[in-house]
């Protein structure tokens, strides 16, 4: 599957920026000198300068001073790397250094200024030029852009900037960012647009952009997929991934005085960077079998680039002024260590997740569909021609005929005209009944609609194929272009020069080394005095060297102590935190509960978090535990203990959970009886009438004869004086009253 190559070291170059305006006006001393020829950086320590001429010398693959041009850096250092990405290797470029030393300048440079463009825009140009010159190859270029800030990954190209992404690992493709968006780009302009969008998003949400960018890592990823016909007659796909990393500022984050959240924040900011340092140390050490890639998101993501299968270039950026000397030395030491990392680059051939393969398959599928459609049409039109005028029903059938494009337009036009003609014929045909005419017309109209729809669908399919094909880039179009050819020659020459420079530098470095070693062997002394002189000189030289090494050791020790103090401080803080939590657990959480939680806790390797398992009846059974059955005869579940206790203390368990269940009465629809109101006149009359007979003083002796044979006997036997009219009234009333029994 992949061609392996022997291992190669991480390439480390150092770039020193010019003095800036502020440093010049403040008249800061320049302590860094750069020997471009020898590839050396020489740092004078201003504090020790008076004592003796102690200089620190660091040698790298190549070094660049303040006059270096972006394009020179690109041609000499980055172009070979991008070239190998185009061949299917993975490649990574890191920019490391203190804030303000030119990391972003090196990676991105100044936009809209071709002279001062950084690696990223230059690589765009390089990649697309390469494609335009290629022959018989298909390319697919994708770009992604992400940022790591406080150990959180943000997709700089996604619409939702508040979302945080997770890292995932697959055995076949390694570590990747889940749900990271990537955009297929077809030209330099498009990929530049992607970068600009990402840069804008980077500043969104950051209150202080300078601070934010100095504390976060930005990674621009370009994936180059290339498909080419191999000697075996099959298409082979190579995938190269280029990571362009602008790291956070390497300066020590001040933790002094920070506590709690602020301290955690400060620790987190540089976590990725210190983890990177640890990974480098572990890789270089050679003794440690464990490389702590998993300590941070950055090192996990770039695992391939550090001791893996990628090609890696690290640019260490430094400043020249005296007040930065400590940081400059730290950066140089860091870079010096990184030189010794060994990678084993190899070409990624036919990986499973190549998007290009998916694209090719999809295009083939769509094309087949399109062909089926046109095949159908052709058959139909052929049939029509043969049967002249005998039209009507559709014929469902597929032919494998090829049909060329210009035939298509004719077909649609022909069909349309034919339908139109038929419509007219129907309109003019007077022999048809009106109803029949309408029906036929409708039928024709429907057919025209169908025709239109079919045509549209065909066009859509063709457009889709075209859009997909346009994403696959092929070269070879302007290969004969004269200016292009010249440009290429120029580039080649520049590359040759760069290569020559590199070789020269290497030779010089070697010579320097050999000089020292062979000095002794070559020399023959003519006199004792001369021998003394020469040996004294040599002794002096070696002594100076020893002094340098000694001071280097001292420096390293000092730095080590500093680091150690830092770690100890962090450790103390963490221990204190832990103790507090223990205290709370011991004193406030019942042992039983604690054990339960401990049993449920597990470490999620994927997300690197402690989590608690859901409560399950049986271990590894992911069903939630079901509610236990009620105790027979009771309303709710009952523990055995409670069940027993109920026997002895029934009142203790009685009042629990009892509902009052009185009946709900319906609202009343009847009323109490109310006495009717009697008019006052009637009442008075009644009153009168019902008075005791004794009280009535009426003489009615003269009326008897007319009323009846016998006069009403009065209780007293006295002749009644009541007039006849009154008696009648009374009789009438008593008759009335006999019907309303409730009057009482
Ligand atoms: P960093 O990203 O490391 O914090 P920058 O790239 O933002 O630093 O650089 C800080 C400033 O120094 C910028 O204004 C940049 O233009 C300038 N600068 C850095 N390196 C160079 C260089 N090699 N030549 C000219 N200007 C530079
Ligand atoms: Mg920057």
């Amino acid at each position: 599957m992949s061609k392996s190559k022997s291992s190669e070291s991480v390439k480390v170059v150092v770039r020193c920026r010019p003095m800036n305006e502020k440093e010049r006006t403040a008249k800061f001393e320049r302590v860094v000198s750069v020997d471009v020829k020898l590839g050396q950086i020489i740092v004078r320590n201003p504090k020790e300068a008076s004592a003796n001429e102690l200089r620190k010398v660091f040698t790298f693959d190549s070094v660049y001073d303040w006059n270096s041009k972006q394009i020179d850096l690109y041609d000499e250092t980055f172009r070979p790397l991008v070239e190998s990405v185009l061949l299917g290797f993975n490649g990574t470029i890191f920019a490391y250094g203190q804030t303000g030393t030119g990391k972003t300048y090196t990676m991105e440079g100044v936009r809209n200024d071709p002279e001062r463009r950084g690696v990223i825009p230059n690589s765009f140009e390089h990649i697309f030029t390469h494609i335009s010159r290629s022959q018989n190859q298909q390319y697919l270029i994708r770009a992604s852009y992400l940022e790591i800030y406080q150990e959180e990954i943000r997709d700089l190209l996604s619409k939702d900037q508040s979302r945080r992404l997770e890292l995932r690992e697959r055995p076949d493709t390694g570590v990747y960012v889940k749900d990271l968006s990537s955009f297929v780009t077809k030209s330099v302009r498009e990929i530049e647009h992607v970068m600009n969008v990402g840069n804008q998003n980077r500043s969104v949400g950051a209150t202080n952009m300078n601070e934010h960018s100095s504390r976060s890592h930005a990674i621009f990823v370009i994936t180059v997929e290339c498909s080419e016909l191999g000697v075996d007659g099959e298409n082979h796909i190579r995938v190269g991934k280029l990571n362009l990393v602008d790291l956070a500022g390497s300066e020590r984050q001040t933790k002094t005085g920070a506590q709690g959240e602020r301290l955690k924040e400060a620790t987190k900011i540089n976590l990725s960077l210190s983890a990177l340092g640890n990974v480098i140390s572990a890789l270089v050490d050679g003794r440690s079998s464990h490389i702590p890639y998993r300590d941070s998101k950055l090192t996990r993501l770039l695992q391939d680039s550090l001791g893996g299968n990628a090609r890696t270039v690290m640019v260490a950026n430094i400043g020249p002024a005296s007040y930065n000397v400590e940081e400059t030395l730290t950066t140089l030491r860091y870079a010096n260590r990184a030189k010794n990392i060994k990678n084993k680059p190899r070409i990624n051939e036919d990986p499973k997740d190549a998007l290009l393969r998916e694209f090719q398959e999809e295009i083939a599928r769509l094309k087949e569909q399109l062909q089926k459609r046109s095949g159908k049409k052709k058959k139909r039109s052929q049939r029509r021609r043969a049967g002249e005028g005998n039209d009507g029903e559709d014929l469902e059938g597929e032919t494998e005929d090829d049909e060329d494009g210009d035939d298509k337009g004719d077909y649609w036009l022909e069909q349309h005209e034919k339908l139109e003609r038929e419509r007219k014929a129907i309109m003019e045909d007077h022999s048809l009944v009106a109803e029949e005419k309408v029906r036929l017309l409708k039928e024709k109209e429907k057919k025209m609609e169908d025709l239109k729809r079919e045509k549209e669908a065909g066009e859509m399919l063709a457009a889709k194929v075209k859009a997909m094909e346009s994403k696959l880039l092929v070269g070879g179009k302007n290969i004969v272009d004269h200016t292009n050819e010249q440009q290429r020659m120029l580039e080649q020459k520049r590359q040759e020069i760069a290569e020559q420079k590199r070789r020269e530098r290497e030779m010089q470095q070697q010579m320097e080394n050999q000089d020292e070693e062979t000095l002794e062997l070559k020399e023959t002394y003519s006199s004792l005095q001369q021998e003394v002189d020469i040996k004294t000189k040599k002794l002096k030289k070696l002594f100076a060297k020893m002094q340098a090494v000694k001071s280097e050791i001292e420096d390293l020790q000092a730095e080590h102590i500093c680091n150690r103090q830092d770690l100890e401080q962090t450790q103390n803080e963490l221990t204190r935190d832990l103790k507090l939590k223990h205290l709370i657990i011991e004193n406030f959480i019942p042992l039983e509960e604690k054990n339960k939680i401990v049993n449920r806790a597990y470490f999620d390797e994927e997300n690197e978090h402690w989590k608690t398992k859901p409560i399950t009846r049986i271990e590894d059974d992911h069903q939630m535990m079901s509610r236990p059955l009620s105790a027979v005869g009771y309303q709710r579940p009952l523990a055995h203990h409670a069940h027993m206790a109920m026997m002895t203390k029934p009142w203790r368990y009685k009042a629990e959970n009892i509902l009052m269940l009185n009946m709900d009465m319906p609202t009343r629809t009847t009323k109490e009886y109310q006495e009717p109101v009697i008019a006052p006149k009637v009442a008075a009359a009644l009153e009168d009438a019902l008075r005791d007979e004794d009280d009535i003083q009426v003489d009615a002796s003269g009326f008897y004869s007319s009323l009846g044979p016998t006069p009403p006997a009065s209780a007293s036997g006295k002749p009644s004086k009541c007039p006849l009219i009154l008696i009648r009234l009374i009789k009438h009333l008593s008759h009335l009253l006999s019907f309303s029994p409730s009057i009482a």
Side-chain angles (χ1 to χ4, degrees):
M1 286 286 277
S2 51
K3 294 167 190 160
S4 32
K5 244 195 92 183
S6 56
S7 70
E8 62 174 43
S9 302
V10 167
K11 195 170 170 183
V12 179
V13 304
V14 175
R15 186 183 204 185
C16 183
R17 71 159 164 76
M19 285 259 192
N20 61 28
E21 206 55 49
K22 234 168 67 193
E23 287 163 351
R24 250 171 294 169
T25 46
K27 296 219 163 45
F28 276 112
E29 211 186 329
R30 182 195 297 282
V31 291
V32 175
S33 40
V34 180
D35 189 335
V36 180
K37 277 248 169 68
L38 270 179
Q40 285 181 339
I41 301 275
I42 301 119
V43 184
R44 256 181 323 112
N45 201 331
K47 286 175 223 151
E48 295 161 21
S50 52
N52 50 21
E53 258 253 16
L54 270 187
R55 302 177 319 156
K56 294 194 165 62
V57 181
F58 298 88
T59 308
F60 295 98
D61 290 299
S62 46
V63 295
Y64 297 92
D65 62 8
W66 33 92
N67 297 318
S68 59
K69 299 252 176 336
Q70 296 272 44
I71 194 74
D72 290 339
L73 240 86
Y74 193 79
D75 282 339
E76 287 171 31
T77 302
F78 306 124
R79 187 177 286 278
L81 181 100
V82 177
E83 202 70 41
S84 58
V85 169
L86 287 164
L87 291 176
F89 289 97
N90 288 348
T92 300
I93 300 174
F94 287 106
Y96 180 90
Q98 189 187 358
T99 300
T101 51
K103 292 186 299 296
T104 309
Y105 182 83
T106 303
M107 296 311 292
E108 277 171 40
V110 181
R111 256 176 260 167
N112 312 323
D113 184 352
E115 287 266 304
R116 291 190 288 164
R117 268 194 327 214
V119 188
I120 299 178
N122 277 329
S123 71
F124 297 164
E125 194 81 43
H126 180 179
I127 289 167
F128 284 99
T129 313
H130 174 94
I131 292 171
S132 79
R133 285 177 190 156
S134 68
Q135 272 176 318
N136 304 324
Q137 287 172 334
Q138 252 185 343
Y139 284 91
L140 186 75
I141 309 291
R142 278 183 288 159
S144 308
Y145 204 176
L146 63 98
E147 179 186 79
I148 303 176
Y149 180 60
Q150 286 194 21
E151 287 303 290
E152 285 185 333
I153 301 175
R154 184 154 70 114
D155 183 354
L156 292 174
L157 301 179
S158 109
K159 289 216 172 67
D160 179 11
Q161 283 298 308
S162 56
R163 211 169 139 211
R164 301 290 171 259
L165 302 184
E166 299 284 343
L167 284 182
R168 290 272 181 279
E169 196 162 356
R170 266 205 313 251
D172 51 342
T173 53
V175 180
Y176 65 99
V177 182
K178 194 174 165 255
D179 296 335
L180 180 69
S181 47
S182 75
F183 287 85
V184 174
T185 56
K186 302 197 288 278
S187 64
V188 174
R189 211 170 40 79
E190 277 186 23
I191 199 167
E192 268 174 351
H193 178 67
V194 169
M195 182 180 79
N196 290 340
V197 168
N199 282 340
Q200 265 164 23
N201 279 337
R202 208 178 167 201
S203 50
V204 167
T207 42
N208 179 350
M209 184 51 198
N210 273 339
E211 192 181 294
H212 179 83
S213 76
S214 74
R215 292 175 163 200
S216 62
H217 314 280
I219 309 180
F220 194 92
V221 187
I222 309 175
T223 311
V224 180
E225 298 187 3
C226 170
S227 150
E228 196 176 12
L229 206 64
V231 275
D232 54 358
E234 298 247 331
N235 259 327
H236 286 289
I237 293 183
R238 294 187 307 252
V239 180
K241 207 157 119 192
L242 179 61
N243 297 306
L244 300 154
V245 191
D246 189 350
L247 289 172
S250 60
E251 61 275 5
R252 196 181 291 278
Q253 298 287 337
T254 46
K255 282 187 220 164
T256 37
Q259 278 197 342
E261 281 305 306
R262 277 225 11 241
L263 177 87
K264 259 185 231 158
E265 199 175 287
T267 335
K268 254 187 183 175
I269 285 168
N270 261 8
L271 183 73
S272 276
L273 219 51
S274 48
L276 183 65
N278 293 340
V279 166
I280 292 174
S281 299
L283 281 169
V284 173
D285 185 13
R287 273 173 303 173
S288 39
S289 56
H290 172 70
I291 312 292
Y293 290 115
R294 296 185 76 91
D295 282 3
S296 80
K297 299 253 155 88
L298 182 77
T299 47
R300 262 192 96 183
L301 199 55
L302 298 174
Q303 186 166 345
D304 278 352
S305 316
L306 302 158
N309 63 12
R311 290 218 151 110
T312 305
V313 173
M314 178 187 268
V315 194
N317 291 91
I318 54 172
S322 53
Y323 70 103
N324 279 335
V325 73
E326 288 301 327
E327 284 298 342
T328 301
L329 284 172
T330 314
T331 302
L332 291 171
R333 283 194 197 109
Y334 196 95
N336 221 1
R337 254 185 299 162
K339 274 195 314 196
N340 302 316
I341 301 176
K342 292 268 186 284
N343 283 353
K344 281 198 176 69
R346 63 177 153 81
I347 292 177
N348 308 309
E349 208 165 342
D350 293 323
K352 280 189 201 122
D353 58 342
L355 194 67
L356 186 60
R357 176 85 67 214
E358 276 173 42
F359 262 62
Q360 282 174 338
E361 279 165 7
E362 177 71 6
I363 288 173
R365 199 179 61 78
L366 289 174
K367 270 193 172 161
E368 198 181 327
Q369 261 185 29
L370 209 63
Q371 197 136 79
K372 273 183 191 169
R373 273 176 174 281
S374 52
K376 201 156 74 184
K377 277 181 326 229
K378 182 149 191 174
K379 184 111 184 201
R380 239 186 276 163
S381 67
Q382 274 173 349
R383 204 188 109 91
R384 202 187 56 247
R385 262 178 226 136
E388 260 326 35
N390 185 13
D391 53 58
E393 74 288 335
D394 284 352
L395 183 86
E396 294 293 337
E398 286 160 15
T399 59
E400 270 160 16
D401 288 3
D402 269 330
E403 191 171 19
D404 29 31
D406 43 352
D407 209 18
K408 272 183 213 162
D410 288 353
Y411 169 78
W412 294 118
L413 211 67
E414 228 173 79
Q415 282 283 20
H416 189 80
E417 274 170 8
K418 196 195 91 203
L419 279 170
E420 194 66 30
R421 249 183 286 127
E422 285 166 1
R423 205 172 66 93
K424 260 196 195 130
I426 294 166
M427 293 278 270
E428 284 159 13
D429 191 348
H430 300 294
S431 65
L432 283 171
V433 191
E435 270 172 40
E436 184 73 356
K437 221 182 206 176
V438 169
R439 193 185 61 80
L440 280 174
L441 274 177
K442 264 200 186 139
E443 218 168 73
K444 286 290 157 211
E445 247 160 50
K446 193 170 159 287
K447 252 188 203 155
M448 270 167 116
E449 281 282 307
D450 286 350
L451 185 72
K452 213 170 123 194
R453 227 175 297 138
E454 200 180 323
K455 188 181 165 193
E456 273 168 8
E459 277 170 359
M460 238 161 71
L461 207 64
K464 204 168 163 191
V465 172
K466 218 170 158 189
M468 286 196 83
E469 271 183 330
S470 80
K471 286 186 178 169
L472 298 186
L473 309 171
V474 288
K477 278 178 212 149
N478 38 15
I479 195 97
V480 284
D481 194 337
H482 188 61
T483 50
N484 208 340
E485 193 62 20
Q486 271 185 339
Q487 181 87 20
R488 207 171 61 156
M489 295 275 278
L490 199 71
E491 267 168 36
Q492 207 174 341
K493 279 276 171 297
R494 275 216 307 259
Q495 219 165 319
E496 273 168 24
I497 291 170
E499 180 64 18
Q500 201 146 6
K501 265 199 212 163
R502 193 184 60 76
R503 251 181 286 152
E504 224 171 90
R505 199 170 40 236
E506 262 175 22
M507 265 153 70
Q508 207 132 15
Q509 283 174 2
Q510 267 175 11
M511 256 160 65
E512 187 107 323
N513 283 345
Q514 275 176 359
D515 254 11
E516 278 172 16
E517 282 167 19
T518 55
L519 202 60
E520 207 171 350
L521 299 175
K522 275 193 238 155
E523 269 167 86
T524 46
Y525 310 109
S526 52
S527 70
L528 219 62
Q529 185 58 36
Q530 199 190 12
E531 196 181 335
V532 171
D533 282 349
I534 291 173
K535 286 212 165 153
T536 317
K537 223 167 90 187
K538 217 170 102 189
L539 197 67
K540 266 188 187 160
K541 209 171 160 187
L542 286 178
F543 185 72
K545 225 177 169 182
M546 194 183 76
Q547 288 296 335
V549 171
K550 259 190 185 168
S551 85
E552 184 67 25
I553 290 170
E554 271 167 31
D555 283 354
L556 277 178
Q557 267 170 352
E559 198 190 298
H560 180 71
I561 288 170
C562 220
N563 274 336
R564 201 187 152 133
Q565 277 171 354
D566 237 34
L567 287 174
E568 273 170 2
Q569 196 199 342
T570 312
Q571 195 194 8
N572 284 346
E573 288 287 338
L574 290 174
T575 315
R576 221 179 62 187
D577 232 39
L578 193 68
K579 269 189 183 160
L580 177 70
K581 293 215 163 111
H582 265 303
L583 207 72
I584 293 172
I585 292 171
E586 295 302 320
N587 289 292
F588 295 97
I589 300 182
L591 190 67
E592 198 182 331
E593 294 301 317
K594 192 187 105 181
N595 285 341
K596 273 188 209 161
I597 297 170
V598 169
N599 284 338
R600 279 171 59 203
Y602 72 100
F603 190 69
D604 181 3
E605 292 280 339
E606 192 94 310
N607 295 313
E608 309 197 315
H609 272 308
W610 278 97
K611 286 186 173 171
T612 47
K613 276 186 223 157
I615 304 170
T616 50
R617 191 190 281 280
I618 313 158
E619 233 159 271
D620 300 327
D621 176 9
H622 287 290
Q623 252 185 341
M624 285 299 289
M625 192 162 93
S626 58
R627 192 189 157 97
L629 288 175
S630 294
V632 182
Y634 294 99
Q635 276 189 345
R636 56 179 217 164
L638 208 59
H640 178 70
H641 170 77
H643 196 77
M644 297 311 287
M646 270 174 98
M647 314 264 182
T648 52
K649 287 184 270 181
W651 63 90
R652 166 70 184 77
Y653 295 91
K654 213 160 213 176
E656 275 183 310
N657 214 20
I658 290 175
L659 281 177
M660 293 301 291
L661 294 173
N662 282 343
M663 254 205 313
D664 255 357
M665 297 306 285
T667 45
R668 197 174 153 183
T669 52
T670 55
K671 277 190 210 154
E672 293 292 337
Y673 179 73
Q674 295 256 307
E675 279 180 23
V677 185
I678 299 163
K681 253 188 185 169
V682 182
L686 272 173
E687 181 89 355
D688 245 10
L690 292 173
R691 243 187 293 160
D692 208 327
E693 251 177 281
D694 296 338
D695 305 337
I696 305 169
Q697 308 274 317
V698 187
D699 185 10
S701 49
F703 293 99
Y704 287 136
S705 53
S706 64
L707 266 175
T710 45
S714 84
S716 58
K718 276 189 265 171
S720 175
K721 287 170 217 148
C722 126
L724 183 68
I725 185 107
L726 259 178
I727 292 168
R728 271 191 185 158
L729 177 67
I730 290 163
K731 275 199 171 167
H732 182 64
L733 276 174
S734 45
H735 177 75
L736 260 180
L737 289 175
S738 71
F739 287 104
S740 43
S742 61
I743 295 182

